[in-house]
Amino acid sequence: MNRFQRRRFLQQMGLGTIALWATLASCGNRTRSLGAGQGRSVLVVGAGIAGLAAARDLADQGFVVTVLEGRDRIGGRIWTDRSLGVPMDMGASWIHGPDGDNPITPLASAAGAPTFVTDDDRVVVYRPNGEPVTDGELERAEAQYHQLLKRLARYSEDQDRDLSIAAALRAIAPDAIADPLLRYHLTSWLEFDAGGDIEDLSAWYWNEDEAFPGADVILPGGYDAVVNYLAQDLAIQLNHTVEAITHTKNGVAIATNHGEFNADYAVITLPLGVLQSGAVTITPELPSSMRRSLAKLQMGHVNKVVLQFPRPFWDETQQYFGYAHPEKGKYSYFLNARTFSDAPVLMTFGLGRAGLALEQQTEEAIAADVMSVLRILFGPNIPEVERLLVSRWTADPLSRGSYSYAAVGATPDDFATLGRSVNEVLFFAGEHTHPTYRGTVHGAYLSGQRAAAQVAQRFSD
Ligand SMILES: Cc1cc2nc3c(=O)[nH]c(=O)nc-3n(C[C@H](O)[C@H](O)[C@H](O)COP(=O)(O)OP(=O)(O)OC[C@H]3O[C@@H](n4cnc5c(N)ncnc54)[C@H](O)[C@@H]3O)c2cc1C
């Protein structure tokens, strides 16, 4: 029986009843001991990096694992689009801090995926009128930005209630957002990194998370190499949208658009925005502590626009072109894909409220808008864009946002709370459940491993 036939057979039989048989059958092309799992069954909801990490670890310990994924592909917010003829990552692009204990670096290496350092210092930044900023001016603006963040931290610590970053800035430096270069840094660095708009980000907790060391790298061949590597030999049911989860002390029943699945345990990696939307009912409902945390955290609106041109018309050696766009969050920098591929391609971003507004626009309107910026930077005679890719992560019912952040009133505990188990049957993972590395691929991956360890822990005594 090949892998596909076996999956179909498993689905038709119903998982709970044939757990041991399936374990033995799944050993057909891979030697696997029964281990801690002893043939117990686990359903993993979501084939993003968190779900795949959990599934991988559990399968390797002898659990009978089936992954239920609503999309027609794995990877979730890791999504490599190849329709331009070159790999373009519309979700995660970078391994942030690839050194130290970052678990994605060895995975990429095992997957045979080359990496490329995107050098933050190879950047030209332009003023709103298209005038390039000198190196000295940029250094001063950067120092001013860091100084501002220090003042922001001091001011917000002295307050007896949490404020948004924007509200705190209005109190200490009313002109900061109107200053083109400060605005450029606040959006390109702070909003992109933290995931939220400064109007919503908690001044107390926006940067309570941590980072691994090292200069960020991208995967020029596509980030999907990492998820494809993890997914090898896993039983993944694509196009299976989960609609309802019912749990008792004895197990879990999951209703999908293709029927019901049963198992001893479930690892739920639904994105924060999907959990908040109520699209998946959970019965009995989640504990009140989890519901409170769900209401406090927020999903950001980070979107990408990829533009393919007939030929490059920019300095091909620069890594980034920054633009102090008059509107915060709009096309404030461009990644030059020419440095790591043959493609005459630029990638730009819509962040925060501007990232959400972008989703409401047609491709034609977005192209016209970005082209008007590029003409300011590179002159009126540049060629028209040939092809365009646009992400719309917030409109996407299977993500409902880009990545999570601490909004005003939330604390790092809220991320941890969402990673607690329920009834010793439901276990949770996903970037939004990792208080230290939320909003990243490595955080999501580590959360999946944590959930797998929580399941296995039940049998270690
Ligand atoms: C534009 C953008 C840029 C980013 N850039 C970076 C970056 O450079 N570096 C970095 O480290 N991180 C980056 N991130 C964040 C990173 O992509 C995420 O933190 C990580 O991929 C989340 O993984 P996850 O497994 O928690 O969630 P997901 O990848 O979203 O996985 C959840 C899965 O559940 C599925 N699902 C949802 N609802 C259902 C349902 N009802 N039934 C069945 N399946 C369902 C989804 O389809 C998805 O496959 C970026 C994200 C975005 C959107």
Side-chain angles (χ1 to χ4, degrees), residues 49-50 69-71 76-77 91-94 96 242 398 430-431 440-441:
I49 188 102
E69 169 55 52
R71 299 182 196 273
R77 282 169 278 169
S93 286
W94 283 272
H96 291 304
V242 168
L398 298 179
E431 56 85 12
T440 64
V441 171

Side-chain angles (χ1 to χ4, degrees), residues 236-264:
I236 301 172
Q237 301 287 349
L238 297 177
N239 300 308
H240 278 57
T241 303
V242 168
E243 292 159 356
I245 299 169
T246 308
H247 58 104
T248 70
K249 280 222 164 299
N250 300 323
V252 58
I254 297 191
T256 75
N257 57 338
H258 290 299
E260 185 171 293
F261 290 73
N262 296 280
D264 298 321

